[in-house]
């Protein structure tokens, strides 16, 4: 099912509205989950290829819309939700609408691998939360938050 859902993203509503990034985000952002059977049977290469096909289709749609600006299709693993998420925005890779620190990459493999090998998607143990609380209480500085990986693909006319 995951490969089907990835393919369907290319046909979903698509809004390119640089003046209203919130509308872009709400319209162009998709959450994709996977059953255990998909996680166990799909290869990283199959999922990467599906996203690459979707990015190519979105690139064609944006061309057909005659949108002449910068556009990026991007994919990340939302560990807290246990999902792969993807979106398209009229932003460059360094301007994605995340509040946290991320690292943009042209290698989707690690993002997909993290998702497929997540043994308990969306599950965060109390002990992990307690460890963070203890660390926070012991130090006056915030604990270091590791940046997350985001695969980016240029799908616009401008670079």
């Amino acid at each position: 099912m995951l490969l089907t859902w990835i393919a369907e993203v290319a046909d979903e509503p698509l809004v390119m509205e640089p003046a209203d990034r919130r509308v872009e985000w709400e319209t162009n952002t998709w959450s994709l989950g996977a059953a255990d059977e998909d996680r166990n049977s799909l290869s990283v290469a199959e999922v990467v290829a599906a996203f690459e096909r979707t990015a190519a289709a979105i690139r064609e749609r944006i061309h057909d819309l005659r949108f002449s600006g910068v556009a990026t299709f991007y994919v990340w693993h939302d560990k807290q939700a246990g999902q792969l998420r993807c979106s398209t925005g009229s932003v460059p890779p360094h301007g994605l609408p995340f509040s946290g620190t991320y690292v943009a990459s042209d290698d989707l493999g690690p993002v997909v691998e993290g998702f497929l090998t997540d043994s308990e998607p969306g599950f965060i143990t109390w002990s992990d939360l307690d460890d963070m609380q203890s660390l926070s209480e012991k130090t006056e500085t915030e604990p270091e938050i590791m940046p997350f990986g985001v695969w980016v693909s240029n799908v616009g006319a401008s670079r």
Side-chain angles (χ1 to χ4, degrees):
M1 284 303 300
L2 179 61
L3 298 181
T4 301
W5 292 334
I6 294 169
E8 288 175 352
V9 167
D11 297 322
E12 293 294 337
L14 179 66
V15 173
M16 301 308 296
E17 189 59 55
D20 195 344
R21 298 271 165 66
R22 183 179 183 155
V23 168
E24 280 186 351
W25 177 261
E26 290 173 356
T27 305
N28 301 343
T29 303
W30 301 99
S31 301
L32 307 166
D36 287 342
E37 60 194 45
D38 268 357
R39 287 179 188 271
N40 295 327
S41 66
L42 291 173
S43 71
V44 170
E46 289 172 306
V47 178
V48 167
F51 274 117
E52 288 173 343
R53 287 189 299 272
T54 295
I58 289 172
R59 185 177 299 110
E60 287 300 316
R61 288 185 64 196
I62 289 173
H63 178 266
D64 292 346
L65 291 171
R66 300 189 192 287
F67 180 76
S68 61
V70 172
T72 304
F73 176 70
Y74 51 104
V75 178
W76 71 101
H77 175 203
D78 183 335
K79 292 180 183 179
Q80 290 178 329
Q83 299 172 328
L84 281 174
R85 300 219 174 163
C86 61
S87 190
T88 304
S90 60
V91 294
H94 63 274
L96 301 179
F98 293 114
S99 58
T101 306
Y102 66 94
V103 176
S105 173
D106 62 356
D107 184 2
L108 180 54
V111 173
V112 171
E113 183 175 12
F115 171 74
L116 291 177
T117 61
D118 188 351
S119 61
E120 297 184 81
F123 182 76
I124 300 173
T125 65
W126 279 111
S127 63
D128 288 344
L129 293 173
D130 289 342
D131 289 346
M132 293 305 291
Q133 180 66 30
S134 297
L135 179 62
S136 181
E137 290 170 356
K138 291 177 187 173
T139 64
E140 300 214 3
T141 61
E142 290 293 316
E144 182 180 345
I145 297 174
M146 298 301 294
F148 60 97
V150 179
W151 177 69
V152 295
S153 178
N154 174 32
V155 293
S158 299
R159 295 188 190 275

